[in-house]
Amino acid sequence: MSRLPHFDPRQVPVERVDSHLPAVPLASLQPAALRQRFATPPVWEPELLAEKKFVDRAPLHASVLVPIVMREHPTVLLTERTMHLSTHSGQIAFPGGKADEDDADASATALREAQEEVGLDPAFVQVLGVLPHYVTGSAFIISPVIALVQPGFTLTPNAYEVADVFEVPLEFLMNPAHHQRHAFEWEGVRREWFSMPYQDQTTQRFIWGATAGMLRNFYRLLSA
């Protein structure tokens, strides 16, 4: 199975925007409401579970931390990966990576990777829960670990892996009016994904692919 060709996802046309769906209200995005949602979760279904494969190799388990910073208007901490990395170079991502044998569980992997990748001290982090697995086209089985982050932390990004670290308002990401749908055909296979472009002062943060897919599942949990 061949790899996908190099392409700029920004240039793939938007098929539609889900502005007909309701946004999650700000009150439901506050720390107490998020804790309650994970303590007594509703009946819900993730919208996205697996991308169509584009590599042939054994699957690898990984975890990402979805760090919700407890500001007056909560934000999500995201990274921009450096361009020279072998997988997902230059993309917007959550801190995270492959599981180690010594990791006790998915949360331990996410906390360890976030500390190694951006220097986020686990003492500032409270894990709320884990969303269902998300399987990428590159054969990573990802556990998205949702966590609250107390402000006051200091970050020391790993310059080899991380080109930038920034925050996006959770309220923006949990509003489907900002969820764009794209489709792309390669070797007879139609591939679809979401994007959530965010204008950060003078920089557009093009959140798409697996990161946008996991955020979409989080939206489905919070809006259930």
Side-chain angles (χ1 to χ4, degrees), residues 6-218:
H6 177 74
F7 72 103
D8 184 352
R10 295 172 178 81
Q11 302 304 315
V12 178
V14 176
E15 291 203 327
R16 71 177 192 271
V17 179
D18 284 347
S19 52
H20 64 287
L21 295 174
V24 178
L26 180 60
S28 298
L29 304 178
Q30 298 301 321
L34 293 173
R35 291 188 185 99
Q36 185 63 32
R37 173 69 28 148
F38 279 90
T40 55
V43 176
W44 75 289
E45 292 289 338
E47 185 171 346
L48 304 167
L49 290 174
E51 301 172 353
K52 293 177 181 177
K53 287 179 64 176
F54 57 83
V55 295
D56 266 335
R57 65 170 173 80
L60 294 171
H61 284 271
S63 290
V64 296
L65 191 70
V66 183
I68 301 169
V69 185
M70 294 186 288
R71 307 200 185 279
E72 181 179 357
H73 285 241
T75 63
V76 176
L77 186 73
L78 291 163
T79 71
E80 179 184 331
R81 293 167 62 82
T82 51
M83 292 301 298
H84 61 260
L85 295 175
S86 59
T87 57
H88 312 297
S89 60
Q91 292 188 17
I92 304 302
F94 300 114
K98 290 183 289 187
D100 282 354
E101 290 184 1
D102 294 337
D103 293 335
D105 54 21
S107 296
T109 299
L111 292 170
R112 174 183 55 75
E113 283 286 339
Q115 187 167 29
E116 293 175 1
E117 202 170 291
V118 299
L120 180 60
D121 187 339
F124 287 85
V125 183
Q126 176 194 6
V127 171
L128 296 180
V130 184
L131 297 185
H133 288 150
Y134 182 100
V135 183
T136 69
S138 52
F140 283 98
I141 302 172
I142 300 178
S143 297
V145 178
I146 311 295
L148 298 178
V149 180
Q150 182 68 40
F153 55 86
T154 300
L155 300 180
T156 53
N158 179 331
Y160 180 79
E161 296 184 28
V162 178
D164 198 6
V165 183
F166 59 95
E167 296 178 28
V168 175
L170 181 59
E171 193 173 13
F172 175 91
L173 297 169
M174 295 298 103
N175 184 348
H178 305 135
H179 297 183
Q180 301 181 158
R181 293 175 179 266
H182 304 255
F184 173 82
E185 190 163 311
W186 171 246
E187 296 185 342
V189 178
R190 178 181 168 89
R191 302 179 185 278
E192 302 177 4
W193 68 87
F194 283 96
S195 74
M196 303 171 184
Y198 175 69
Q199 192 66 35
D200 183 8
Q201 297 180 6
T202 60
T203 304
Q204 189 191 71
R205 310 292 189 175
F206 194 77
I207 304 162
W208 75 289
T211 302
M214 287 181 273
L215 286 167
R216 177 71 171 202
N217 284 345
F218 189 36

